[in-house]
Amino acid sequence: MASGRDRQDTKSRGATAILMATFNGERHLREQLDSLFTQSSKEWTLYVHDDGSDDDTRQILDEYARTHSNMRVLDYESQHGACANFLSLLERVDAEHYFFCDQDDVWDTDKVRLSLEEMHRQERLHPDIPIVVHSDLLVTDGELNVLDTSFLRYTGLAPEYLSTFDTAVLPFATGCTMLLNRGARDAVLRHKGRPTMHDVWTVLCTLREGGRVALIRQPLVSYRQHGHNTLGARDIRQVNLNYRWRHLRDIVGDNARHYAMLRTLDYGSPLKFIAQRIKYKLKNKG
């Protein structure tokens, strides 16, 4: 049985790679790994890079890598953050399709199969362009008790209004649900900006190059909210005027970071960004 710790073997067997970035994830890591290795579709390889954990994360990864021949733990320097860590994996691994995978969620048994089926359908309809497929999620607490059966409803997002480069003024595809084709991966690596989140950057680069972002309405991931998420789900029912006032600095900062990524891709002026945000809110209310 292969040890899984091989710096050179970064060609994905079956041409599908699952990319997992870890950091101090010992509490929930086993549940996530178990949900991967019980997928109904088995034709993929898991690539993991740990970002300098000081808990038992590395030991857990080594344990699973020893017993699963389709798992590789890549050993290279720390990337100092989830965004850079995911993008480093995307750069190093050679495959045709790529999943992003967080360390603390749980995948539905058919997530890989259903995502690939939708990707193949999109590639037949739209050949030779960058494509990202993403899905809805179950919003859960730290013990996987369901808080809402739709992340999109919970957060008030309407991806159908945000699916072009000009209108993509909000993050609307969650990284742990995403599947990229090779064209989307190459689009990400061609653009040299300063991304703050790998999933947002992937969507923006894909749309900037005339690509497509396709949604599976079915929730395929249990999205754990436990207080230590890099980013979490925000219940739209609590986002009233009082909430906006109390969190004004965070909201302004989030918008500024999103526009900064758009600007590095030649989006246009801040006025364009604001106008598109207003159009989105009017459409979403109607």
Side-chain angles (χ1 to χ4, degrees), residues 105 135-139 148-152 174 176-177 216-223:
D105 301 318
S135 76
D136 205 346
L137 312 92
L138 298 175
V139 182
D148 202 294
T149 57
S150 171
F151 171 84
L152 297 177
T174 307
C176 60
T177 74
I216 299 172
R217 285 282 175 183
Q218 178 179 345
L220 297 180
V221 175
S222 294
Y223 187 42

Side-chain angles (χ1 to χ4, degrees), residues 4-250:
R5 185 173 294 283
D6 185 343
R7 300 187 189 193
Q8 304 305 317
D9 183 6
T10 55
K11 175 66 177 177
S12 177
R13 184 178 61 187
T16 298
I18 299 176
L19 309 180
M20 176 186 279
T22 62
F23 178 72
N24 286 351
E26 64 177 5
R27 182 176 178 186
H28 302 298
L29 182 56
R30 290 181 185 277
E31 282 182 286
Q32 174 65 296
L33 290 170
D34 289 342
S35 79
L36 300 184
F37 290 113
T38 55
Q39 287 291 302
S40 59
S41 176
K42 309 293 185 183
E43 295 300 315
W44 46 265
T45 300
L46 172 63
Y47 293 92
V48 189
H49 180 252
D50 184 69
D51 209 24
S53 294
D54 55 15
D55 64 359
D56 286 338
T57 295
R58 291 289 292 265
Q59 289 86 338
I60 295 169
L61 293 175
D62 288 342
E63 172 192 330
Y64 276 76
R66 283 193 297 270
T67 56
H68 294 88
S69 61
N70 61 332
M71 179 175 176
R72 303 285 182 271
V73 181
L74 304 186
D75 192 5
Y76 54 88
E77 66 277 4
S78 176
Q79 300 297 298
H80 306 293
C83 178
N85 201 5
F86 274 112
L87 295 180
S88 74
L89 283 162
L90 200 60
E91 183 176 10
R92 285 171 167 83
V93 174
D94 181 20
E96 292 303 313
H97 297 103
Y98 301 83
F99 287 92
F100 289 135
C101 180
D102 289 350
Q103 66 187 4
D104 51 2
D105 301 318
V106 171
W107 284 16
D108 182 89
T109 303
D110 288 324
K111 180 186 187 306
V112 169
R113 179 180 66 82
L114 293 174
S115 298
L116 283 170
E117 285 178 359
E118 179 61 20
M119 175 61 78
H120 294 321
R121 189 179 78 85
Q122 292 292 330
E123 289 177 328
R124 288 192 297 271
L125 292 171
H126 309 281
D128 303 320
I129 68 168
I131 297 174
V132 173
V133 169
H134 68 116
S135 76
D136 205 346
L137 312 92
L138 298 175
V139 182
T140 77
D141 65 15
E143 303 306 317
L144 297 180
N145 299 304
V146 176
L147 304 176
D148 202 294
T149 57
S150 171
F151 171 84
L152 297 177
R153 178 179 60 236
Y154 187 79
T155 57
L157 280 170
E160 60 270 25
Y161 300 141
L162 298 165
S163 57
T164 69
F165 183 66
D166 284 339
T167 60
V169 292
L170 281 172
F172 67 93
T174 307
C176 60
T177 74
M178 286 168 52
L179 169 64
L180 292 60
N181 70 356
R182 181 72 181 221
R185 179 258 196 182
D186 291 347
V188 171
L189 298 183
R190 269 193 294 271
H191 293 284
K192 305 300 181 185
R194 302 184 68 179
T196 56
M197 286 305 296
H198 64 286
D199 48 3
V200 179
W201 184 247
T202 296
V203 165
L204 295 181
C205 290
T206 296
L207 294 176
R208 178 67 179 84
E209 296 204 1
R212 181 171 178 80
V213 180
L215 171 66
I216 299 172
R217 285 282 175 183
Q218 178 179 345
L220 297 180
V221 175
S222 294
Y223 187 42
R224 200 190 300 261
Q225 304 296 291
H226 50 68
H228 300 289
N229 307 68
T230 301
L231 291 176
R234 183 179 298 167
D235 187 347
I236 190 62
R237 294 167 297 183
Q238 297 179 6
V239 184
N240 51 30
L241 286 175
N242 182 49
Y243 177 95
R244 293 180 188 279
W245 175 252
R246 287 186 291 110
H247 296 273
L248 182 61
R249 180 178 296 179
D250 292 336

